[in-house]
């Protein structure tokens, strides 16, 4: 049986064509694309069969799934139930045990070479992989088996991308990031966890264009990991002015000064937290008074205390200037600041969507 398109599923769910086109328009904005791309997105959604996705879990804490299901724009339920065909996810699927494994084998055989393999967690390699057994086999076997026929492989979160805390020295299980054990190119979406809208944004892009977004040298989508949290931090003016929190709950903390001296790793962390923020645009760690500890960067778990001041960025001149006036540092660090259309657009789209929802709620408009 032919695989349904996203449009087929939306129509079956009673969504009007007008709402479908609105969705395409919102998707273009979310991805930082001009309105000229709306027809292309609509065409892809109407004509391309939904992409089968196999989502598997190695050594991890499931925080990536927890983050994903909270995506507000697009809603995770839209991505899971309509845009992709989630044929296997041992955490979310109803079946378990042998039935679940049979679903996976069936999906691999049916969609050979055409499915996305999304991986949460990593394989431990010590003692022949015995520290992570799923379906009666070491996870490494299951991972390699599914990756062999995958069209694309996504590494969700710091565990799959870099190793994360289970790979912390001395790493007794030899927990290993997936790009080191697979031959496939791996699209890394790091973070502990990654931001929900970044996860769904990457999938939406791939479904729309049929290929991954442009990646940086470390394999991360540039559209979401192209700038540092520091570049768009709302406390940046205090950094530039040399105004720092010196101890927790001092006057500077109450005034919302920069957290650099309290260990904030924003100046070396490439992520979209300061722009897209978390939990439906509610907040992010620096907003709640705690420094960024760099959870999207490789090795963050083994780099000493989260509260140690950065000492390895002398090239930017930050540490040398933090005790004096921040202006010089700002001039140098500020050179690296670049606005990024996609991230800004996600924020704008979500806020517009929120405003529109409030408007619709009030006007009682039902387009379905
Ligand atoms: S050091 Fe941290 S708190 Fe200060 S401006 Fe940069 S990201 Fe914001
Ligand atoms: S602010 Fe830093 S530590 Fe917190 S989620 Fe973002 S990248 Fe991770």
């Amino acid at each position: 049986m032919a695989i349904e398109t996203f449009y087929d599923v939306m129509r079956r769910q009673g969504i009007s064509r007008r709402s479908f086109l609105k969705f395409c328009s919102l998707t273009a904005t979310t991805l930082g694309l001009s309105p000229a791309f709306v027809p292309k997105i609509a065409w892809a959604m109407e004509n391309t069969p939904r992409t089968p996705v196999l989502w598997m879990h190695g050594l991890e804490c499931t925080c990536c799934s927890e983050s994903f299901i909270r995506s507000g724009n697009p809603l995770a339920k839209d991505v899971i139930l309509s845009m992709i065909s989630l044929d296997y996810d041992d955490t979310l699927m109803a079946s378990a045990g042998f039935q679940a494994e049979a679903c996976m084998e069936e999906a691999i055989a049916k969609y050979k070479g055409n499915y996305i393999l999304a991986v949460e967690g990593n394989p431990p390699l010590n003692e022949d992989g015995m520290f992570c057994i799923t379906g009666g086999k070491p996870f490494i076997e299951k991972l390699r088996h599914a990756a062999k026929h995958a069209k694309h492989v996504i590494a969700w979160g710091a565990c799959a991308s870099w190793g994360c805390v289970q790979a912390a020295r001395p790493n007794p299980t030899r927990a290993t990031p997936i790009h080191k054990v697979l031959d496939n190119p791996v699209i890394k979406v790091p973070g502990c966890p990654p931001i929900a809208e970044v996860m769904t944004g990457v999938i939406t892009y791939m479904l729309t264009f049929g290929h991954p977004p442009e990646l940086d040298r470390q394999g991360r989508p540039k559209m979401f990991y192209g700038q540092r949290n520091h570049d768009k931090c709302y406390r940046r003016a205090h950094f530039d002015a040399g105004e720092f929190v010196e101890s927790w709950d001092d006057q500077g903390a109450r005034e919302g000064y920069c957290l650099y001296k309290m260990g904030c790793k924003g100046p070396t962390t490439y992520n979209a937290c300061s722009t897209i923020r978390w939990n439906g645009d509610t907040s992010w760690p620096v907003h709640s008074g705690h420094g960024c500890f760099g959870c999207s960067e490789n090795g963050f778990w083994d780099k000493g205390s989260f509260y140690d001041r950065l000492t390895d960025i002398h090239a930017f001149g930050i540490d040398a200037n933090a005790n004096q006036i921040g202006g010089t540092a700002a001039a140098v660090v500020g050179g690296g600041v670049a606005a990024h259309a996609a991230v800004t657009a996600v924020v704008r789209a979500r806020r517009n969507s929120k405003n529109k929802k409030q408007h619709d709620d009030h006007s009682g408009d039902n387009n379905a």
Side-chain angles (χ1 to χ4, degrees):
M1 197 179 83
I3 310 175
E4 286 181 302
T5 65
F6 173 57
Y7 184 61
D8 293 335
V9 178
M10 280 190 100
R11 294 295 285 166
R12 189 156 47 75
Q13 291 176 353
I15 309 289
S16 68
R17 178 152 184 87
R18 185 172 162 218
S19 294
F20 166 71
L21 290 173
K22 269 191 203 166
F23 178 87
C24 294
S25 167
L26 188 62
T27 300
T29 314
T30 301
L31 296 174
L33 303 171
S34 77
F37 279 88
V38 175
K40 182 175 170 58
I41 293 171
W43 189 91
M45 301 278 183
E46 282 174 315
N47 295 286
T48 316
R50 290 189 305 155
T51 306
V53 174
L54 275 65
W55 187 315
M56 57 177 54
H57 303 252
L59 284 188
E60 47 95 0
C61 70
T62 315
C63 75
C64 300
S65 291
E66 288 286 346
S67 177
F68 185 78
I69 60 177
R70 282 164 182 77
S71 173
N73 189 28
L75 284 173
K77 83 168 176 55
D78 290 330
V79 177
I80 293 173
L81 301 178
S82 307
M83 293 171 77
I84 63 172
S85 164
L86 189 60
D87 288 86
Y88 176 84
D89 183 329
D90 39 351
T91 299
L92 291 179
M93 67 199 303
S95 51
F98 293 118
Q99 269 185 339
E101 297 312 300
C103 289
M104 186 185 83
E105 292 303 336
E106 197 185 316
I108 291 174
K110 192 168 162 189
Y111 305 120
K112 223 170 218 181
N114 286 313
Y115 59 86
I116 293 176
L117 175 65
V119 186
E120 191 172 346
N122 59 45
L125 303 183
N126 257 358
E127 301 192 20
D128 298 322
M130 287 301 142
F131 295 101
C132 185
I133 304 289
T134 77
K137 291 181 193 156
F139 177 63
I140 179 68
E141 282 183 28
K142 181 172 165 177
L143 175 65
R144 284 187 172 135
H145 173 57
K148 201 167 169 189
H149 303 292
K151 185 175 182 187
H152 299 294
V153 178
I154 299 177
W156 286 144
C159 302
S161 300
W162 311 130
C164 207
V165 290
Q166 58 273 47
R169 283 192 291 268
N171 191 0
T173 66
R174 259 184 81 208
T176 305
I178 65 168
H179 67 275
K180 294 198 172 168
V181 297
L182 299 179
D183 295 329
N184 318 52
V186 173
I187 303 151
K188 299 193 188 96
V189 185
C192 192
I195 301 170
E197 284 78 7
V198 169
M199 299 172 81
T200 50
V202 170
I203 286 204
T204 307
Y205 185 98
M206 290 168 74
L207 299 184
T208 304
F209 296 101
H211 59 80
E214 192 185 351
L215 306 178
D216 68 10
R217 280 194 303 173
Q218 296 192 51
R220 304 175 292 194
K222 281 185 181 174
M223 62 198 306
F224 295 116
Y225 295 90
Q227 59 186 171
R228 299 164 301 173
N229 279 335
H230 184 69
D231 297 334
K232 288 286 181 67
C233 178
Y234 76 104
R235 298 191 188 217
R236 177 62 185 270
H238 292 296
F239 174 88
D240 292 350
E243 295 170 339
F244 300 98
V245 177
E246 303 281 346
S247 65
W248 299 117
D249 206 29
D250 67 3
Q251 191 53 33
R254 287 182 213 115
E255 301 280 344
Y257 285 2
C258 170
L259 294 158
Y260 166 70
K261 289 189 178 178
M262 304 308 288
C264 181
K265 308 295 186 289
T268 53
T269 301
Y270 287 80
N271 206 343
C273 303
S274 58
T275 42
I276 294 181
R277 308 203 295 186
W278 285 83
N279 298 319
D281 197 25
T282 306
S283 184
W284 67 295
V286 166
H287 199 183
S288 61
H290 193 284
C292 163
F293 58 78
C295 77
S296 55
E297 293 298 319
N298 192 3
F300 77 89
W301 55 89
D302 268 339
K303 289 183 177 164
S305 166
F306 293 157
Y307 303 100
D308 286 344
R309 191 189 305 185
L310 282 169
T311 54
D312 54 352
I313 50 169
H314 287 282
F316 296 113
I318 292 175
D319 208 39
N321 291 277
N323 289 318
Q324 303 148 17
I325 192 77
T328 313
V332 182
V333 176
V337 178
H340 194 286
V343 169
T344 310
V346 169
V347 177
R348 200 184 309 127
R350 191 163 50 194
R351 286 174 190 157
N352 285 346
S353 165
K354 252 191 199 169
N355 292 341
K356 176 164 186 328
K357 185 171 180 313
Q358 279 166 358
H359 173 78
D360 287 352
D361 287 347
H362 284 124
S363 64
D365 172 28
N366 183 356
N367 295 315

